[in-house]
């Protein structure tokens, strides 16, 4: 089988650890509990996705974090310095580390079945180190980190670079990610299949890919498994 699967990292394999974020904010005297941060996540990701759609480059991490903190009740005047500090700390203490149920297990199973697996992420340049820290590095043949490569999703170049490293044509790769613009439309535009994972809040009302046979929409790991199985990957669908 000359197929492969690529995964986005943040919000696909691991999500923002809001408990860790709350503790880090407390180190700087700012109060925001994990529940409030969780409640503000949708608005923050909507702002992030809008920035990507509008063509803003540079991985708008600070916009995401600023929107998240203000949405969780952190006083706006304090946000710029807090966000700058969190950004500087991110290479040492990455906040995206809470495993999403079932997703790393799926990546491991694919690898054991002989399917090449990679990560394609708009990140800060230290994603391989984070994967090492989490004990996940060995499960991925390639980690494409925009912060190291100098090109990012939704551009075709990062997907093509990964395909070349895997030795698999773009048309034989399924990309799984949560961001409508960066992951889903980016992968489809590169000629891949795409699974939008937990990104339903970002689907435009007209959804031009509703009936696209090269696309799937999933909210749980078992749904991703089922979609991959339908496309011929050697997996046993589970509920």
């Amino acid at each position: 089988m000359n197929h492969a699967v690529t995964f986005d990292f943040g919000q696909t394999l691991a999500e923002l650890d809001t408990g860790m974020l709350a503790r880090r904010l407390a180190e700087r005297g700012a109060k925001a509990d994990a529940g409030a941060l969780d409640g503000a996540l949708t608005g923050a990701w909507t702002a992030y996705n809008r920035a990507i759609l509008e063509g803003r480059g540079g991985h708008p991490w600070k916009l995401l974090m600023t929107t998240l903190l203000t949405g969780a009740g952190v006083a706006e005047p304090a946000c710029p310095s807090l966000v700058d500090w969190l950004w500087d700390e991110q290479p040492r203490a990455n906040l995206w580390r809470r495993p999403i149920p079932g997703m790393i297990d799926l990546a491991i199973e694919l690898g054991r079945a002989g399917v090449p697996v990679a990560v394609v992420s708009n990140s800060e340049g230290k994603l391989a180190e984070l994967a090492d820290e989490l004990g996940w590095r060995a499960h991925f043949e390639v980690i494409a980190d925009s912060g190291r490569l100098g090109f990012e999703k939704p551009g075709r170049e990062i997907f093509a670079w990964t395909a070349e490293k895997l030795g698999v044509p773009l048309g034989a790769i399924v990309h799984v990610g949560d961001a409508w613009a960066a992951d889903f439309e980016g992968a489809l535009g590169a000629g891949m299949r795409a699974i939008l994972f937990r990104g339903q809040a970002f689907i435009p009302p007209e959804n031009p890919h509703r009936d696209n046979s090269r696309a799937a929409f999933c909210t749980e790991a078992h749904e991703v498994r089922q979609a991959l199985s339908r496309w011929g990957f050697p997996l046993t669908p589970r509920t």
Side-chain angles (χ1 to χ4, degrees):
M1 173 185 290
N2 195 26
H3 287 173
V5 178
T6 59
F7 293 89
D8 179 37
F9 192 88
Q11 305 304 115
T12 300
L13 293 172
E15 61 190 345
L16 176 63
D17 188 335
T18 51
M20 178 180 177
L21 175 55
R23 292 190 297 274
R24 301 250 52 206
L25 291 170
E27 292 175 30
R28 308 290 286 191
K31 292 184 179 180
D33 64 47
L37 290 164
D38 282 327
L41 277 171
T42 296
W45 282 112
T46 298
Y48 177 91
N49 199 60
R50 185 182 303 117
I52 297 291
L53 283 168
E54 291 172 353
R56 300 188 214 174
H59 176 37
W61 190 97
K62 290 186 178 182
L63 171 65
L64 168 73
M65 194 59 64
T66 299
T67 308
L68 176 62
L69 297 190
T70 55
V74 176
E76 193 165 341
C79 275
S81 60
L82 286 171
V83 169
D84 286 344
W85 175 72
L86 289 167
W87 173 258
D88 290 342
E89 287 286 291
Q90 185 73 353
R92 185 185 69 82
N94 195 301
L95 295 167
W96 272 260
R97 61 177 61 237
R98 186 166 63 187
I100 293 177
M103 292 301 286
I104 190 62
D105 301 307
L106 176 57
I108 292 169
E109 184 175 344
L110 284 163
R112 288 176 176 168
V115 177
V117 181
V119 171
V120 181
S121 178
N122 287 356
S123 195
E124 300 85 38
K126 296 289 185 178
L127 193 54
E129 290 82 351
L130 176 60
D132 276 329
E133 185 180 342
L134 296 174
W136 293 358
R137 181 67 183 88
H139 305 312
F140 303 103
E141 294 191 20
V142 176
I143 293 182
D145 182 338
S146 68
R148 285 191 173 170
L149 294 174
F151 40 82
E152 61 193 23
K153 302 176 293 185
R156 185 179 186 277
E157 190 173 7
I158 194 167
F159 295 113
W161 183 91
T162 306
E164 181 180 357
K165 294 295 182 183
L166 291 173
V168 178
L170 280 165
I173 300 176
V174 176
H175 180 66
V176 185
D178 69 296
W180 175 266
D183 291 302
F184 188 68
E185 291 209 311
L188 289 173
M192 306 161 77
R193 288 190 176 101
I195 295 175
L196 185 70
F197 177 65
R198 303 203 318 177
Q200 278 67 11
F202 310 127
I203 299 175
E206 66 277 10
N207 189 358
H209 304 291
R210 182 178 290 108
D211 300 316
N212 189 338
S213 63
R214 299 182 64 80
F217 304 88
C218 304
T219 57
E220 303 289 344
H222 73 87
E223 295 174 344
V224 177
R225 174 188 296 276
Q226 290 167 353
L228 292 172
S229 181
R230 287 194 301 271
W231 282 330
F233 286 83
L235 295 167
T236 302
R238 298 176 187 170
T239 56

